[in-house]
Amino acid sequence: DVKVTQSSRYLVKRTGEKVFLECVQDMDHENMFWYRQDPGLGLRLIYFSYDVKMKEKGDIPEGYSVSREKKERFSLILESASTNQTSMYLCASSEGGGNSPLHFGNGTRLTVT
Amino acid sequence: ELKVEQNPLFLSMQEGKNYTIYCNYSTTSDRLYWYRQDPGKSLESLFVLLSNGAVKQEGRLMASLDTKARLSTLHITAAVHDLSATYFCAVEPETGGFKTIFGAGTRLFVKA
């Protein structure tokens, strides 16, 4: 079974802090994704990566950056956290070539105060 | 820009009843996915639909895809309480790499 592990289940940070969310997958998947989930809005794509060191913006990349130095790890960075970034963050991975479902981590609930 | 719309967004139904959740999307695609999310949990893949006319069934759930109408349906037959969850459809457009866009989700509550 694919395992996607997010480093923290809950995080509380202060406005202006730099925040790192880490995600690791163990199935050698090429594609990795970061979504945020907010009530009534579903999942919105922040960034995705289809290879090491490659990244593409999703629908809401503003205020975020990502890093993928190794195939199994995809990090989401909030350069200067703001209260409107309080949300549930979900990492996912999928096999290369498309046509395969996403495998999700358990999520990180981030609160910015 | 790809948009994915689900309806209804909330559904409360009695056990034993049938119902259908609809997923419309705005651009060409023949790759559509359904996911289930239980409260406090992450998403799990239910169905992968990869061609026009594709139909998949698992237990009381059946999903279908009509790429010409840009519509997928998730049909629930004789609902049971254990089906209570939020169901998401997600679409991978033909262009745009592996970007997968989700609908807002349908919160299903099955009353015993």
Side-chain angles (χ1 to χ4, degrees):
Chain A
D1 260 0
V2 176
K3 190 154 186 188
V4 179
T5 304
Q6 294 182 231
S7 54
S8 304
R9 190 81 173 97
Y10 300 95
L11 272 181
V12 180
K13 297 291 181 181
R14 292 190 183 277
T15 300
E17 278 193 82
K18 190 168 186 176
V19 182
F20 293 86
L21 303 183
E22 306 286 346
C23 175
V24 177
Q25 51 95 2
D26 66 358
M27 282 301 290
D28 204 35
H29 282 172
E30 275 78 16
N31 305 325
M32 295 189 76
F33 306 79
W34 276 106
Y35 289 87
R36 64 178 280 178
Q37 183 176 19
D38 300 288
L41 296 177
L43 279 71
R44 292 180 292 167
L45 181 62
I46 304 171
Y47 269 97
F48 68 103
S49 169
Y50 53 89
D51 201 352
V52 175
K53 296 193 189 293
M54 305 303 289
K55 60 186 178 186
E56 292 283 342
K57 293 180 180 178
D59 293 326
I60 52 164
E62 296 78 20
Y64 303 95
S65 62
V66 290
S67 172
R68 193 163 180 205
E69 296 296 320
K70 293 186 178 182
K71 191 175 187 180
E72 66 271 19
R73 187 180 296 270
F74 192 35
S75 303
L76 179 69
I77 303 150
L78 286 66
E79 298 292 342
S80 177
S82 64
T83 55
N84 63 13
Q85 292 178 309
T86 291
S87 186
M88 172 67 83
Y89 289 88
L90 293 169
C91 174
S93 71
S94 70
E95 295 175 16
N99 295 349
S100 63
L102 303 183
H103 298 266
F104 284 87
N106 284 332
T108 296
R109 182 162 294 283
L110 173 67
T111 302
V112 182
T113 62
Chain B
E1 182 189 339
L2 172 60
K3 291 196 185 304
V4 181
E5 292 185 353
Q6 282 183 243
N7 70 85
L9 297 182
F10 181 80
L11 176 56
S12 176
M13 56 191 298
Q14 296 281 356
E15 276 195 329
K17 297 292 188 184
N18 304 332
Y19 208 84
T20 300
I21 299 169
Y22 297 88
C23 175
N24 290 91
Y25 54 96
S26 62
T27 192
T28 53
S29 172
D30 56 2
R31 292 172 286 188
L32 189 136
Y33 309 87
W34 283 95
Y35 295 85
R36 169 180 171 145
Q37 184 179 37
D38 291 298
K41 301 283 180 65
S42 194
L43 282 76
E44 292 182 2
S45 175
L46 285 176
F47 298 110
V48 178
L49 303 168
L50 298 177
S51 61
N52 186 39
V55 177
K56 296 277 182 74
Q57 181 157 8
E58 177 82 25
R60 300 173 189 275
L61 299 177
M62 184 173 71
S64 65
L65 178 61
D66 180 344
T67 58
K68 290 182 172 52
R70 299 180 184 172
L71 171 69
S72 179
T73 60
L74 181 66
H75 187 72
I76 303 153
T77 302
V80 292
H81 181 68
D82 285 351
L83 288 180
S84 297
T86 300
Y87 293 86
F88 291 92
C89 66
V91 177
E92 200 177 313
E94 284 186 355
T95 59
F98 310 114
K99 183 173 174 175
T100 302
I101 303 300
F102 282 75
T106 298
R107 180 81 187 270
L108 171 66
F109 181 64
V110 181
K111 293 180 278 191

